Amino acid sequence: MKNIKIFTILLITLLGVSCSLEETIYDLATPETAIKSASDVDNAIVGAYASINAIDYFGRSAMWVTHSSADDLSSTAGNEPGVLARRVSLNASHYHFIHLWWEIYTGISNANGVLDYVDNLNLPESFENKAWSEAKFLRGFYYFGLVNFYGGVPLILNSVDTSQDFYVSRNSVDEVYAQIFLDLEDAITYLPNRSDQPASERGRATKQSAQAYLAKANLFYANYLDLNGRSGESAPYYQLAINYANDVINSNQYSLVPNYATLWDVNQESVSAQEIIFACINTRDAANPGNQGEGGFMVQFFNPTTITGVSGRPDGGGSGHYKVQPWFIDKYLQGEYVNDYRVETSFRFSWTNRNNGQNITTYPNTPTEEWESQPYIKKYVDADGLATFSNENDFYLMRLSDVYLMKAEAENELNGPTAVAYTAFNKVRERARLADGTLRAAPADLQTGLSKEDFRIKIFDERGLEFVAEYSRYFDLRRMRYTDNAQTMLKYQFGTFLPSLSQGLPTWDEGTMTWSAGRTEASNIAPYDIKYELLPIPSTELAINPNLVQNPGW
């Protein structure tokens, strides 16, 4: 889907390119002229999906922005991941802040084109209904991305034409969420259950996709209300998050994969599909193995440079752009997480150096030959990849385990750590204990005795391990509250916790046979600043639209 764009988006002229509005347009492809038949509609739908996989959204930019802005991974790369992680000279003109905005609005514009014109065609009602629901889902999905990156944004709900006002103002966060709820609720109406979805439409939204995103959107909005002194308004949204999570769970359309490792095996994608509610679908693309192809890139960025046999790169290795912060791996090697199967499945602690055959061991294990100060992510491997950017690994955006943890969180925020909250939380731990078929004791179920605030942190920590390197951490930091119920986890982590750690990376001392005290890649721990709670409104938008107002601190 990545390369299919059905009509070039006039919205880019409206909201993203500094071109003169006095130019004469002699020939313009519009939805009205491009969507005439069922095949046109389906192509337009595929085009609306395409922005999800595009380089400027989940194909690259969103991953770099979110992983570099969180606290669990670090990057010292000289290119964008490292620049973003060090937060040096970041401003509203940064490429990825701008192109994220453009690409998401491209997806919205394509969805709007379908919504504006599908009803005008003489097509089978069932076909039109499904197309309408898919476009509604996509528009809601894209606006959910925008509001979480940028806050309140302009709501563009119709195909753009040259007669409308180009100087649109930002809608409020409340207004954007209201539209997200409307779109996703409409999407439920005619989207198919997973069991009714044709194999040829794998990767497209199901009814449960819309329900799961409604659960997430209601949870995030309730979090937003709590953080902004409006807790008196949040209860109905927490309840809706629970209701929609229950709809997904009780549909029995999805189930947790018994072996967590199966999720990361590219040869078992048909098995993993039982848990994956929505994802970026990647494939080995022999026709176009470069940046613009259909393949996934995660294998490269998360694997060591000296390993081989894990990717489609010519050397079979990775670029090592992202590594795991030592303090973060410490958390999951002690206490209730000791012997948690997800740790050995998610993190890479050793491999053979392809250059000299030596064994490389990372912190915190004892080296036998060579060592590195940080573990790597192990989730993304494709030994049969065709090229650097042509690996099979799908990128998961919504898994059923997320639905269980969202239900636990919403229930806790609404009613405290009730039996309902514990049960939902423990479903994720139960799967972790199954390991590879040999039952383990860890992680144990949570039982009773926690306060609401303590249980919230348990959920935060559980999400940190369950979804590491899956785009989740950045948003969890920004939306979840610390135990004081006032500051975001982002503010607490970067303002209090991380500065309290031994700065610098651990090094191995052959004499004492111990690791030194450092626990952070300190260059990635910038002092907390309110501006990091949101991305800046792109400078290109501010330059051409005087009605847009910048986010705080930028």
Side-chain angles (χ1 to χ4, degrees):
M1 289 183 235
K2 186 183 291 184
N3 291 320
I4 303 176
K5 302 286 184 181
I6 303 308
F7 31 86
T8 302
I9 310 305
L10 185 58
L11 185 60
I12 299 301
T13 302
L14 171 63
L15 293 173
V17 177
S18 298
C19 62
S20 170
L21 299 180
E22 296 179 359
E23 292 177 353
T24 301
I25 300 175
Y26 294 101
D27 188 20
L28 179 67
T30 67
E32 188 174 14
T33 60
I35 301 178
K36 294 292 188 181
S37 65
S39 62
D40 293 338
V41 171
D42 201 57
N43 284 340
I45 289 289
V46 172
Y49 276 102
S51 288
I52 297 173
N53 290 66
I55 286 177
D56 290 332
Y57 200 9
F58 289 109
R60 191 76 50 80
S61 291
M63 294 293 297
W64 282 0
V65 167
T66 57
H67 288 309
S68 294
S69 301
D71 61 348
D72 53 346
L73 307 181
S74 69
S75 178
T76 57
N79 61 353
E80 295 301 273
V83 171
L84 288 160
R86 291 187 292 274
R87 297 173 176 82
V88 176
S89 301
L90 289 184
N91 55 50
S93 296
H94 188 79
Y95 176 94
H96 295 288
F97 299 159
I98 293 172
H99 283 257
L100 263 174
W101 176 286
W102 289 357
E103 190 60 56
I104 299 174
Y105 269 114
T106 296
I108 289 169
S109 187
N110 279 330
N112 282 340
V114 175
L115 292 170
D116 283 350
Y117 294 100
V118 70
D119 285 343
N120 298 333
L121 305 177
N122 186 22
L123 299 173
E125 184 177 7
S126 60
F127 178 87
E128 289 188 2
N129 288 341
K130 181 173 176 294
W132 180 82
S133 281
E134 280 195 273
K136 283 279 190 169
F137 170 82
L138 288 167
R139 190 169 70 181
F141 171 86
Y142 287 130
Y143 271 118
F144 185 58
L146 280 173
V147 77
N148 279 290
F149 278 121
Y150 300 98
V153 295
L155 284 171
I156 310 297
L157 303 178
N158 299 102
S159 297
V160 176
D161 62 52
T162 56
S163 66
Q164 68 187 73
D165 181 10
F166 284 6
Y167 300 118
V168 290
S169 299
R170 296 178 67 173
N171 289 84
S172 68
V173 170
D174 296 330
E175 291 169 330
V176 177
Y177 268 107
Q179 187 61 48
I180 292 166
F181 298 146
L182 285 173
D183 281 345
L184 293 178
E185 287 161 1
D186 284 345
I188 291 173
T189 311
Y190 299 114
L191 283 175
N193 289 313
R194 172 178 175 260
S195 57
D196 297 325
Q197 187 178 50
S200 61
E201 295 186 1
R202 173 179 172 265
R204 292 166 71 156
T206 64
K207 187 184 298 291
Q208 291 73 41
S209 304
Q211 291 166 334
Y213 271 99
L214 273 165
K216 179 161 280 194
N218 276 282
L219 175 63
F220 277 37
Y221 183 55
N223 295 154
Y224 168 81
L225 293 172
D226 282 342
L227 280 167
N228 285 274
R230 299 167 60 187
S231 292
E233 303 172 47
S234 64
Y237 298 99
Y238 283 125
Q239 186 60 60
L240 284 168
I242 296 167
N243 295 347
Y244 285 118
N246 282 334
D247 287 341
V248 176
I249 294 165
N250 296 334
S251 72
N252 296 315
Q253 294 290 312
Y254 293 87
S255 59
L256 296 177
V257 175
N259 184 342
Y260 185 78
T262 300
L263 292 165
W264 318 111
D265 185 343
V266 294
N267 297 312
Q268 297 194 64
E269 288 181 342
S270 60
V271 179
S272 300
Q274 72 188 60
E275 180 171 337
I276 310 309
I277 299 172
F278 199 59
C280 292
I281 304 300
N282 295 310
T283 189
R284 303 178 190 116
D285 187 357
N288 188 356
N291 285 355
Q292 301 292 333
E294 301 287 337
F297 71 96
M298 298 89 70
V299 179
Q300 174 188 349
F301 295 123
F302 290 114
N303 277 291
T305 59
T306 51
I307 200 170
T308 192
V310 299
S311 80
R313 282 167 58 102
D315 57 20
S319 61
H321 279 36
Y322 287 107
K323 303 176 185 181
V324 182
Q325 286 275 20
W327 76 266
F328 186 76
I329 196 63
D330 279 350
K331 175 183 288 290
Y332 298 108
L333 290 173
Q334 58 189 324
E336 60 194 317
Y337 290 105
V338 171
N339 203 34
D340 192 309
Y341 180 64
R342 292 172 295 182
V343 172
E344 63 201 64
T345 301
S346 301
F347 303 107
R348 186 180 302 282
F349 298 103
S350 65
W351 64 95
T352 300
N353 188 333
R354 61 180 171 81
N355 297 315
N356 58 20
Q358 298 282 297
N359 179 257
I360 299 178
T361 304
T362 76
Y363 174 85
N365 296 338
T366 301
T368 56
E369 294 176 317
E370 300 178 354
W371 58 268
E372 288 196 22
S373 298
Q374 297 174 264
Y376 290 79
I377 294 296
K378 191 179 176 183
K379 286 182 171 180
Y380 304 111
V381 170
D382 183 10
D384 297 319
L386 298 181
T388 299
F389 298 102
S390 190
N391 298 287
E392 182 79 10
N393 313 74
D394 294 341
F395 181 60
Y396 305 143
L397 301 176
M398 180 71 73
R399 296 198 275 116
L400 183 62
S401 59
D402 197 355
V403 176
Y404 279 116
L405 289 177
M406 287 191 294
K407 177 181 176 179
E409 182 181 344
E411 174 67 20
N412 180 57
E413 297 299 337
L414 188 61
N415 300 311
T418 63
V420 170
Y422 281 119
T423 298
F425 179 93
N426 288 332
K427 287 290 292 185
V428 178
R429 290 200 161 184
E430 177 186 344
R431 189 266 295 280
R433 290 195 301 273
L434 292 176
D436 55 359
T438 302
L439 189 64
R440 300 188 180 190
D445 283 352
L446 293 183
Q447 300 295 336
T448 59
L450 294 173
S451 67
K452 174 189 288 190
E453 290 75 19
D454 288 341
F455 189 57
R456 181 189 302 145
I457 299 302
K458 289 289 187 183
I459 293 170
F460 178 75
D461 289 343
E462 194 76 10
R463 293 184 64 86
L465 178 57
E466 177 75 16
F467 304 117
V468 65
E470 291 182 67
Y471 169 73
S472 175
R473 182 74 173 186
Y474 172 64
F475 297 107
D476 289 344
L477 285 164
R478 284 180 39 210
R479 70 180 181 81
M480 297 182 76
R481 290 175 293 166
Y482 182 55
T483 55
D484 62 5
N485 290 316
Q487 59 185 324
T488 63
M489 288 302 299
L490 183 77
K491 183 175 183 179
Y492 171 73
Q493 290 290 101
F494 282 92
T496 302
F497 174 70
L498 294 174
S500 75
L501 301 177
S502 297
Q503 300 298 292
L505 295 173
T507 58
W508 178 251
D509 187 316
E510 288 286 353
T512 62
M513 297 292 286
T514 59
W515 291 94
S516 65
R519 291 296 180 266
T520 68
E521 172 50 68
S523 70
N524 284 201
I525 302 176
Y528 174 79
D529 190 312
I530 191 172
K531 70 180 183 180
Y532 298 130
E533 298 283 355
L534 290 171
L535 301 187
I537 302 299
S539 59
T540 50
E541 311 308 307
L542 298 172
I544 64 174
N545 186 350
N547 291 331
L548 291 180
V549 178
Q550 185 57 277
N551 281 326
W554 292 101

